C-alpha cells in the first residue's frame, strides 16, 4: 500500500524537488546573459510547450502504475515487461546526483556558520576561502556533508506524510518568506535593485535568434522539473484520488519560475553588473562575489548572508530528499524491506560515492580520484565529482526522459491516457499533448542531449 500525499503536499513536494540550487545561480545568470525577460518568455514557452508534456507523461506512469517506477513500468507494459522494468532503473541517476549534490549543500551549511563571523571583504579573499574549503579542508567538508546526509535520510526514513510532505510544507513556505525578506531589503536598501530589475526584465529579443540559446533554454526547462530520474512518477504514485494533474503541474511550474526570478533579483541586487554581464557566474556567484559583498555591509551583511544561505539550504534539502525516494520505494516493494532497511542500503552507497567526490577535490588526494588529463586529451584532470555531474546531467537524465516519453507515447494505450486526463483537459488539448509527446518531445530531448555532450567535448 503506497502512502498518499495531500494535494497541497504533492504540489509543494514536487516544487521542492524542482526548486534547487540551480535557481540561485544557473537560472538568473542565464536570464541575465541571454536577453532578460525575452529569455524568460522563451523559457516559459518551452516549459509549457514541451517540458510540461513530458512531465505529464511521467505523472501518468506513476498515477496509472500506482507503485515504484520499475514495477509501474512492468505493470503497465502490455509486453516486454522485463525490459521496460529495467528502464525504471534510470532512478539510479538520482542516487548518483544526490551523492555530489549533498556535498554542495554541505558547502552552503558551512557558509551559514561562517556568516556568523567575519566574512572576507574582497573577491580575492572570498575566492581563497572557498578554494581553501573545497581543496584544503577535508574535515569541514566531510562533517557538513555528513550532517546534510543524515538530515536527508532521516526525512526519507519517515515516509511520505511524516517525512517528505511535512518537510516541504514547512521548508517551501519558509524559503518563500526568506526570499521575500531578502527581496524587500534589496528593493529599499541595496541601492542596486533597479539595476537588477533592468538586468532581468528588459528584453533583448536579438539574443534569442540563436539555436544554441534555444537548446540551453530547453535543457533548463526540462531538467529544472526533475524529469528522467523517476521522481515525478514516484511522487505521482502517492497522489490522492481526484487530484487535478494539469492544475497541479502548472502550480509546480509557476512556483519554480517565481522562485528562480526572486533569487535572480536578490542576487543581482548585490552583484555588480559590468558591461551587461554579472561580475561572476556559477558557484562563484554565490560563494565568492556575493559573500565578499555581504562582508562590506557590516552586521547587516552577516544577517543577509545567514538568511540567504539558509534559503539555499532549504532549496537544496528539498531537492535532495526527492532524489532518494524513488529507489527507496523500489527496494521496499521488491524485497519486502522495511523503509529503514532500504534507506540504510542506499545510504551506504551514497555515503561512499559522496566521500569519493570530496576526495576528488581535496588537494592531497585529488590525483587519485580523477581521470588524468592525458586520458581524455583535456587540459586538466576531471575530478570524480565532475564525472558524476557530466554523466548524470548530459547523458542519463536525457536518456531517462526520452525513455519515459516513448513508453507513454508509444506503449501505453491512447484511450487509457485520455481516460486519465479527460477530467482535466478537453479532447482537443489531449490530442495536442499526445502529438507533442510522440513527435516533438523525443526530438527535443535528443537535441538537448546531443548539445550537452558536444558542448562538453
Amino acid at each position: 500500500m503506497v502512502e498518499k500525499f495531500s494535494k497541497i503536499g504533492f504540489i509543494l513536494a514536487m516544487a521542492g524537488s524542482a526548486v534547487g540550487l540551480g535557481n540561485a545561480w544557473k537560472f538568473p545568470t542565464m536570464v541575465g546573459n541571454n536577453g532578460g525577460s525575452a529569455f524568460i518568455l522563451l523559457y516559459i514557452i518551452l516549459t509549457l510547450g514541451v517540458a510540461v508534456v513530458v512531465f505529464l507523461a511521467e505523472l501518468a506512469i506513476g498515477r496509472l502504475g500506482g507503485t515504484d517506477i520499475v514495477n509501474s513500468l512492468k505493470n503497465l507494459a502490455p509486453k516486454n515487461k522485463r525490459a521496460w522494468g529495467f528502464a525504471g532503473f534510470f532512478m539510479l541517476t538520482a542516487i548518483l546526483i544526490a551523492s555530489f549534490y549533498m556535498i554542495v549543500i554541505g558547502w552552503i551549511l558551512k557558509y551559514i556558520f561562517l556568516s556568523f563571523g567575519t566574512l572576507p571583504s574582497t573577491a580575492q579573499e572570498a575566492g581563497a576561502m572557498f578554494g581553501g574549503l573545497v581543496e584544503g579542508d577535508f574535515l569541514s567538508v566531510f562533517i557538513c556533508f555528513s550532517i546534510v546526509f543524515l538530515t536527508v535520510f532521516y526525512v526519507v526514513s519517515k515516509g511520505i506524510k511524516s517525512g517528505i510532505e511535512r518537510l516541504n510544507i514547512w521548508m517551501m513556505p519558509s524559503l518563500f518568506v526568506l526570499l521575500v525578506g531578502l527581496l524587500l531589503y534589496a528593493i529599499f536598501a541595496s541601492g542596486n535593485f533597479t539595476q537588477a530589475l533592468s538586468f532581468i526584465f528588459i528584453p533583448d529579443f536579438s539574443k534569442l535568434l540563436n539555436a544554441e540559446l534555444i537548446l540551453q533554454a530547453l535543457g533548463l526547462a526540462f531538467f529544472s522539473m526533475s524529469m528522467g530520474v523517476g521522481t515525478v512518477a514516484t511522487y505521482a504514485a502517492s497522489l490522492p484520488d481526484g487530484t487535478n494533474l494539469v492544475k497541479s503541474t502548472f502550480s509546480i511550474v509557476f512556483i519554480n519560475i517565481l522562485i528562480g526570478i526572486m533569487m535572480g533579483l536578490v542576487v543581482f541586487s548585490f552583484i555588480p553588473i559590468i558591461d551587461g554581464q554579472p561580475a561572476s557566474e556559477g558557484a562563484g556567484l554565490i560563494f565568492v562575489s556575493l559573500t565578499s559583498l555581504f562582508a562590506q555591509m557590516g552586521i547587516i551583511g552577516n544577517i543577509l548572508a545567514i538568511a540567504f544561505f539558509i534559503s539555499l539550504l532549504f532549496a537544496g534539502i528539498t531537492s535532495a530528499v526527492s532524489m532518494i525516494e524513488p529507489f527507496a520505494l523500489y527496494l521496499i516493494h521488491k524485497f519486502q524491506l522495511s523503509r529503514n532497511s532500504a534507506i540504510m542500503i542506499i545510504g551506504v552507497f551514497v555515503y561512499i560515492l559522496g566521500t569519493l567526490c570530496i576526495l576528488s577535490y581535496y588537494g592531497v588526494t585529488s590525483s587519485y580520484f580523477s581521470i588524468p588529463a592525458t586520458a581524455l586529451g583535456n587540459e586538466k584532470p576531471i575530478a570524480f565529482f565532475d564525472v558524476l555531474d557530466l554523466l548524470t546531467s548530459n547523458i542519463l537524465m536525457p536518456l531517462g526522459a526520452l525513455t519515459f516519453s516513448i513508453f507513454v507515447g508509444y506503449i501505453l494505450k491512447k484511450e487509457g491516457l485520455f481516460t486519465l486526463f479527460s477530467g482535466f483537459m478537453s479532447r482537443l488539448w489531449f490530442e495536442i499533448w499526445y502529438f507533442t509527446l510522440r513527435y516533438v518531445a523525443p526530438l527535443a530531448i535528443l537535441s538537448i542531449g546531443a548539445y550537452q555532450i558536444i558542448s562538453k567535448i
Side-chain angles (χ1 to χ4, degrees), residues 115-144:
S115 297
F116 282 94
T118 302
L119 293 169
S121 58
T122 67
Q124 290 77 14
E125 291 176 359
M129 185 175 77
F130 181 59
L133 172 67
V134 174
E135 300 174 8
D137 192 353
F138 172 82
L139 185 60
S140 288
V141 174
F142 184 75
I143 290 173
C144 289

Side-chain angles (χ1 to χ4, degrees), residues 42 64 140 165 228 234 239 261 321 344:
L42 175 65
L64 294 173
S140 288
E165 180 172 318
T234 300
L239 272 170
I261 292 173
V321 164
M344 287 181 66

Side-chain angles (χ1 to χ4, degrees), residues 18-37:
V19 174
L21 301 180
N23 290 76
W25 57 73
K26 188 173 184 179
F27 179 81
T29 302
M30 289 182 71
V31 169
N33 288 344
N34 298 302
S37 59

Side-chain angles (χ1 to χ4, degrees), residues 312-453:
L312 290 189
L313 182 72
F314 288 177
I317 286 178
T318 54
S319 290
V321 164
S322 72
M323 297 172 193
I324 307 301
E325 179 63 16
F327 194 35
L329 191 63
Y330 168 74
L331 292 177
I332 291 168
H333 290 164
K334 175 66 176 178
F335 301 105
Q336 302 301 306
L337 297 176
S338 67
R339 178 167 283 270
N340 285 340
S341 296
I343 293 303
M344 287 181 66
I345 292 170
I346 299 171
V348 169
F349 186 65
V350 170
Y351 206 62
I352 291 172
L353 284 179
T355 302
L356 294 178
C357 287
I358 295 171
L359 291 171
S360 72
Y361 273 0
Y362 182 51
V364 176
T365 58
S366 61
S367 61
Y368 299 104
F369 299 96
S370 300
I371 299 177
T374 53
L376 298 175
N378 292 333
E379 295 180 1
K380 59 181 181 178
I382 303 179
F384 182 67
F385 183 111
D386 298 318
V387 170
L388 288 186
D389 186 12
L390 293 171
L391 175 66
T392 54
S393 300
N394 301 332
I395 300 174
L396 295 180
M397 286 187 74
L399 282 177
L402 178 64
T403 301
F404 299 150
S405 298
I406 290 173
F407 179 80
V408 176
Y410 291 91
I411 304 301
L412 293 186
K413 291 182 179 180
K414 181 178 179 180
E415 288 308 310
L417 289 169
F418 179 67
T419 300
L420 174 66
F421 290 118
S422 60
F424 319 121
M425 65 174 75
S426 67
R427 185 78 201 199
L428 174 61
W429 281 111
F430 174 81
E431 292 292 345
I432 293 172
W433 170 79
Y434 193 68
F435 176 86
T436 306
L437 179 66
R438 285 169 63 91
Y439 302 109
V440 179
L443 180 61
I445 296 168
L446 287 172
S447 299
I448 295 167
Y451 168 74
Q452 296 273 25
I453 293 171

Side-chain angles (χ1 to χ4, degrees), residues 10 31 33 64 68 70 78 144 157 160 168 170 173 179 193 435:
F10 168 75
V31 169
N33 288 344
L64 294 173
D68 62 86
V70 173
C144 289
S157 74
I160 292 292
N168 283 281
W170 180 74
L179 286 177
F193 182 74
F435 176 86

